[in-house]
Amino acid sequence: MSAFTPARRAEAVGSVAAVIALALLLLSLNFPVLMQDVGEADPLVPMRWWHVGGPTATTTLLLTQCTAIGTLLLSALWALWPTPGATRSLALVALSGIGAIALLAITPTDQVSTPGSAYWLATAALALLAVTGVRRVARLTLTTRTLRPLTGWLTAAIFGAWALLFWELLVTGFAVPRVLLPSPSAIALALWEHAGTLGGDLVQTVFKAVLAGYMLGSGLGVLTGIAIDRLPLLQRGLLPVASLSSTVPLVGVAPIAVMWFGFDWPSKAAVVTLMTFFPALVSTLAGLQATGKLERELMHAYAAGYQRTLLSLRLPVALPFIFNALKVNATLALIGAIVAEFFGSPTVGLGFRISTEAARLNMPLVWAAIVVASVVGSLLFALLAALERRVNFWHPSVRVAR
């Protein structure tokens, strides 16, 4: 009797999910997918998958409804395939995606129709099929080593696409007000319509305040850490004072920085410098103290001075610690600059845009600014991670990741 390996367990879980999804889809055939208002004595008329009528009686709607239920049923049957391969897994994702788009196309966007029971049963089945597809794509193993990282990127892309689709489905289906939570389509439209405005905000916040404060704060933190390590006297005098920079509240520093440096980007860069200084300092000290005793004794046996030991041994060992601080500071710098803009800035900047448009209840533009900030933060983190793999190629964590 063969062992119940993790791969077979995952296949069994996927098959069970496919069976449940198929049962939900078959059950939805007995319930209305839409409840349409036809303006009669009984205004709400149930419409099934193969029915169409009322004010929105079009052949396109009927074809869309049949496409939604047909592709979802085909996806559930396809997911029952016992040994999924790369092509079959991607085909499952594609079929489920077509069904999701068709389901989204029939989602009511006005007061004429409301989703019926079959709509929510199909949405639940779609969720099971989406999870099954993502799990199967995540288990794909590509034989070529250079193409192996594409599996992770593909899984992340598919997962993100499903998250956006379900966001759109649920927000539209439940008719959530845009003030509470706008749909991804509304956010994308705001990004398109206000691209120029958001571009100027990006330059003001990121390319001026964030980069200047990030480089200054991280650089001073690393240099101060080396100085404290070189002069033990500073450990008792400077280190406790430097630790105070991590305890100062941002909401208290930002107005003071505005009064000192003005409303333009230098005041935000000062706040970012303060926020990024202490993480770089602590990580540098921890990295410099991480060298082993045998390695230090070996450098001493070679008659290496402090500078040679620092450059050849201690700094290379400390680089993983420093890069961890740099990656943390990348997000802290962006957050600090945006929050600092709440307390005074010229009529430009991501923080200014968020606070101003939130007061106007223009939430799609607020979310568009948040999306821009999130994408920029993710790109900064990814660039630092790629640079770390280049520099710290010798480190065990980088070798294992490869």
Side-chain angles (χ1 to χ4, degrees), residues 70-89:
T71 51
L72 290 178
L73 284 171
L74 183 59
S75 301
L77 293 173
W78 192 271
L80 292 174
W81 197 283
T83 55
T87 304
R88 290 187 290 271
S89 299

Side-chain angles (χ1 to χ4, degrees), residues 89-116:
S89 299
L90 295 177
L92 173 61
V93 173
L95 284 173
S96 303
I98 295 174
I101 295 174
L103 191 63
L104 182 61
I106 64 174
T107 306
T109 58
D110 49 27
Q111 301 299 323
V112 177
S113 304
T114 57

Side-chain angles (χ1 to χ4, degrees), residues 38-358:
V38 296
E40 298 176 354
D42 187 11
L44 294 180
V45 176
M47 307 303 300
R48 300 185 186 275
W49 291 107
W50 55 89
H51 291 166
V52 64
T56 58
T58 60
T59 306
T60 304
L61 179 60
L62 178 61
L63 292 176
T64 306
Q65 293 175 175
C66 294
T67 301
I69 188 63
T71 51
L72 290 178
L73 284 171
L74 183 59
S75 301
L77 293 173
W78 192 271
L80 292 174
W81 197 283
T83 55
T87 304
R88 290 187 290 271
S89 299
L90 295 177
L92 173 61
V93 173
L95 284 173
S96 303
I98 295 174
I101 295 174
L103 191 63
L104 182 61
I106 64 174
T107 306
T109 58
D110 49 27
Q111 301 299 323
V112 177
S113 304
T114 57
S117 302
Y119 177 90
W120 299 115
L121 290 173
T123 302
L126 178 63
L128 292 173
L129 294 174
V131 172
T132 303
V134 172
R135 285 169 58 90
R136 291 186 176 181
V137 172
R139 294 201 311 270
L140 293 179
T141 54
L142 301 179
T143 56
T144 306
R145 183 177 180 182
T146 57
L147 298 179
R148 191 173 301 169
L150 294 179
T151 305
W153 287 104
L154 183 62
T155 304
I158 294 175
F159 181 83
W162 277 122
L164 292 177
L165 275 173
F166 278 105
W167 181 355
E168 186 80 23
L169 279 172
L170 296 177
V171 168
T172 309
F174 284 110
V176 179
R178 296 176 65 179
V179 175
L180 297 179
L181 182 64
S183 63
S185 59
I187 297 173
L189 182 61
L191 280 169
W192 175 262
E193 293 179 346
H194 302 277
T197 301
L198 293 174
D201 296 336
L202 176 66
V203 172
Q204 173 73 15
T205 302
V206 176
F207 292 99
K208 292 182 179 179
V210 170
L211 289 183
Y214 175 80
M215 296 177 63
L216 187 60
S218 299
L220 287 176
V222 172
L223 294 177
T224 305
I226 295 174
I228 291 177
D229 179 78
R230 180 68 178 92
L231 302 173
L233 178 63
L234 297 179
Q235 296 181 4
R236 299 181 179 180
L238 184 58
L239 186 58
V241 175
S243 64
L244 292 176
S245 63
S246 64
T247 61
V248 176
L250 177 60
V251 294
V253 173
I256 297 175
V258 170
M259 294 179 63
W260 285 0
F261 301 101
F263 287 93
D264 211 345
W265 64 267
S267 58
K268 287 69 184 175
V271 174
V272 173
T273 302
L274 185 64
M275 291 188 64
T276 57
F277 173 74
F278 189 71
L281 168 63
V282 173
S283 297
T284 302
L285 283 175
L288 291 175
Q289 296 171 3
T291 53
K293 182 178 179 180
L294 292 178
E295 289 84 356
R296 293 196 301 268
E297 291 179 350
L298 179 61
M299 296 299 293
H300 182 70
Y302 286 152
Y306 176 82
Q307 183 177 0
R308 174 56 60 186
T309 304
L310 178 67
L311 296 177
S312 301
L313 174 63
R314 305 190 70 191
L315 269 183
V317 173
L319 281 178
F321 295 83
I322 296 175
F323 270 103
N324 286 336
L326 293 178
K327 289 187 289 186
V328 171
N329 283 344
T331 56
L332 286 179
L334 194 59
I335 294 172
I338 291 176
V339 173
E341 288 178 346
F342 288 180
F343 296 92
S345 65
T347 58
V348 66
L350 293 175
F352 170 81
R353 195 66 52 199
I354 291 173
S355 61
T356 303
E357 298 302 329

